[in-house]
Amino acid sequence: MKFSKTAFLKDVFFSALASYGGPEAHYGVFSNSLVDRGGYLTEEELTEFIGLFSLVPGPGSTQTITAIGYKVGGPLLALLTFLVWALPAILIMGAVGVFFTEVTAREGWEALLTYLPPLAVSFMVYAAVKMTGKVLSQGGDGKNRLLYGAMVPLSWWLVGRTMWAVPLLLIAGGITPLAFQGPVPRGEGMDHRPRWWILGLVVALAVAAELLSREFQHPLLGLFSSFYSYGYSVIGGGQIVIPLMIQDLVRSQSLLSLSDFLSGYAIDQAIPGPLFSFASFVGARSLAGSGYGFLGGIISALGIFLPGILLVYFIFPIWRASRELTAVRRFLKGVSVTAAALVTMTALSQVLALPRDPVGYGVLILGTAALYSKRVPAPLLVPAAMVLGLLL
């Protein structure tokens, strides 16, 4: 079947509509919509992307879906993929930041959130089972199973203790096959030079934003500088950046109250798409009453997403040029196994963290079953869960 960029972007948009609950849940949506239904990439390639972009700063699920766009259609489609995926949530959260008082005054919106958490966990369970089945069915003389069996309890113990746990586990998982699968054949070489100028651009923008914000002390420059620094310094995605925002924007700069911050974060859970879109709310709310509110939200979102998207353009060509090399293939295999273990650990921990509610468990079970049946499109599950929350 002939590839259609329009059809692909439509699938990306529907994936955005169904993506709640953070990166691990998003990966379940990608697996269902872009692997199983769309056939744009294999489960192995998806798992490799997940592992790779868990190693670098930025929003992991946004980088992953942008890289998928790069794979199927090149650099321009990658940019369009990012915009279709992230822009709706950015605009919505920016508007919420501007009209925050009216939004929070409306009774009943919290009910929409009631059964979104168990539905999000169903996407995590789906992703965990799919990835685990894929990485463990690819041979390795039992070594993959041993690595997976070791990484699940290790990640359970380490993740949450330090923000460096995830990248360190992924690196350890990638190195393990190199150490235990014999020497790497000589004579292999990568036929691609890394685009180091992209890394130089990331650094140059960081320096320029910091210097300009200090020189001119304009609120928009200050917001861009702060959010750009979050974008290049955070490994682990949206959940990790929240405490940094609280410390900097609430406690140090006093741009908004903790109550406003947490209320906006709760609203963000009802908005599909990347968690980094929360930056749009925080930026808009920080400049409330200044005349720059909505523009501040857009500038903040641009700042936090920009470093991670630039890193996609740096990493993807290297991945494509080098993944057939023996050493790289072994490293990626270990990273993929570890990524599957991390997603499995997250799914298990989130199942255990759900409230003891029979209806919530029912949503979890039915949501997982619907995903496996492939008869119900993922975007339809989300409004169904919202309606259930309003009814009950």
Side-chain angles (χ1 to χ4, degrees):
M1 185 173 64
K2 185 178 179 181
F3 171 71
S4 168
K5 293 182 179 179
T6 302
F8 171 75
L9 291 175
K10 180 180 177 181
D11 288 339
V12 170
F13 179 69
F14 284 131
S15 296
L17 293 182
S19 292
Y20 291 82
E24 291 77 13
H26 298 173
Y27 299 145
V29 177
F30 299 166
S31 181
N32 177 265
S33 300
L34 304 179
V35 176
D36 295 341
R37 292 178 178 273
Y40 300 110
L41 73 167
T42 66
E43 194 74 36
E44 180 181 8
E45 290 170 332
L46 175 62
T47 310
E48 288 180 6
F49 283 152
I50 292 170
L52 281 175
F53 292 113
S54 296
L55 285 169
V56 299
S61 56
T62 298
Q63 291 170 311
T64 295
I65 200 168
T66 303
I68 294 171
Y70 201 137
K71 174 188 179 298
V72 301
L76 178 58
L77 187 61
L79 177 60
L80 293 175
T81 300
F82 163 70
L83 293 175
V84 170
W85 160 256
L87 192 57
I90 290 171
L91 295 176
I92 291 171
M93 289 305 295
V96 170
V98 173
F99 301 107
F100 177 73
T101 303
E102 293 185 18
V103 171
T104 54
R106 297 181 182 274
E107 296 182 1
W109 72 267
E110 298 94 338
L112 294 171
L113 307 179
T114 305
Y115 296 113
L116 285 182
L119 181 64
V121 175
S122 72
F123 283 108
M124 296 181 192
V125 172
Y126 177 78
V129 175
K130 284 287 301 300
M131 291 178 187
T132 298
K134 184 65 177 179
V135 299
L136 297 187
S137 66
Q138 294 173 351
D141 300 326
K143 294 185 176 66
N144 290 343
R145 297 177 183 274
L146 289 174
L147 179 60
Y148 179 86
M151 285 301 178
V152 170
L154 267 178
S155 61
W156 187 284
W157 180 54
L158 289 175
V159 174
R161 294 174 179 265
T162 170
M163 64 175 290
W164 299 106
V166 170
L168 289 175
L169 285 169
L170 288 165
I171 292 171
I175 292 174
T176 300
L178 293 175
F180 293 100
Q181 291 186 4
V184 175
R186 295 184 178 181
E188 293 185 318
M190 186 175 70
D191 58 352
H192 174 82
R193 290 185 177 182
R195 297 173 179 175
W196 296 109
W197 66 268
I198 295 180
L199 290 185
L201 179 60
V202 173
V203 175
L205 285 173
V207 174
E210 179 67 21
L211 292 177
L212 289 173
S213 65
R214 291 184 180 182
E215 178 69 21
F216 295 102
Q217 296 184 348
H218 193 281
L220 290 177
L221 286 173
L223 278 181
F224 181 84
S225 178
S226 292
F227 281 90
Y228 189 85
S229 69
Y230 305 149
Y232 67 71
S233 62
V234 171
I235 297 175
Q239 304 293 353
I240 305 298
V241 79
I242 297 303
L244 283 181
M245 287 187 186
I246 291 175
Q247 180 61 39
D248 184 23
L249 302 175
V250 176
R251 294 173 180 163
S252 297
Q253 300 189 50
S254 300
L255 293 179
L256 73 167
S257 70
L258 181 60
S259 176
D260 281 4
F261 184 97
L262 295 177
S263 296
Y265 183 66
I267 294 173
D268 189 47
Q269 307 309 301
I271 305 300
L275 286 180
F276 269 33
S277 64
F278 179 55
S280 184
F281 168 86
V282 175
R285 191 62 184 162
S286 297
L287 299 185
S290 68
Y292 294 114
F294 188 74
L295 181 58
I298 301 301
I299 292 294
S300 299
L302 174 65
I304 200 169
F305 278 109
L306 186 55
I309 298 304
L310 287 174
L311 288 174
V312 172
Y313 283 83
F314 175 74
I315 290 173
F316 179 85
I318 298 175
W319 170 84
R320 183 171 57 188
S322 64
R323 69 186 300 260
E324 297 304 320
L325 301 180
T326 301
V328 174
R329 191 166 62 248
R330 290 178 183 177
F331 180 82
L332 289 175
K333 175 58 60 182
V335 167
S336 297
V337 172
T338 306
L342 285 165
V343 172
T344 298
M345 180 277 300
T346 303
L348 290 173
S349 64
Q350 293 304 309
V351 168
L352 294 176
L354 287 174
R356 301 298 186 263
D357 176 14
V359 179
Y361 287 130
V363 170
L364 168 63
I365 294 169
L366 290 176
T368 305
L371 291 171
Y372 274 99
S373 73
K374 298 181 177 62
R375 294 180 180 179
V376 182
L380 294 182
L381 296 174
V382 175
M386 289 182 168
V387 170
L388 185 63
L390 288 175
L391 293 175
L392 299 182

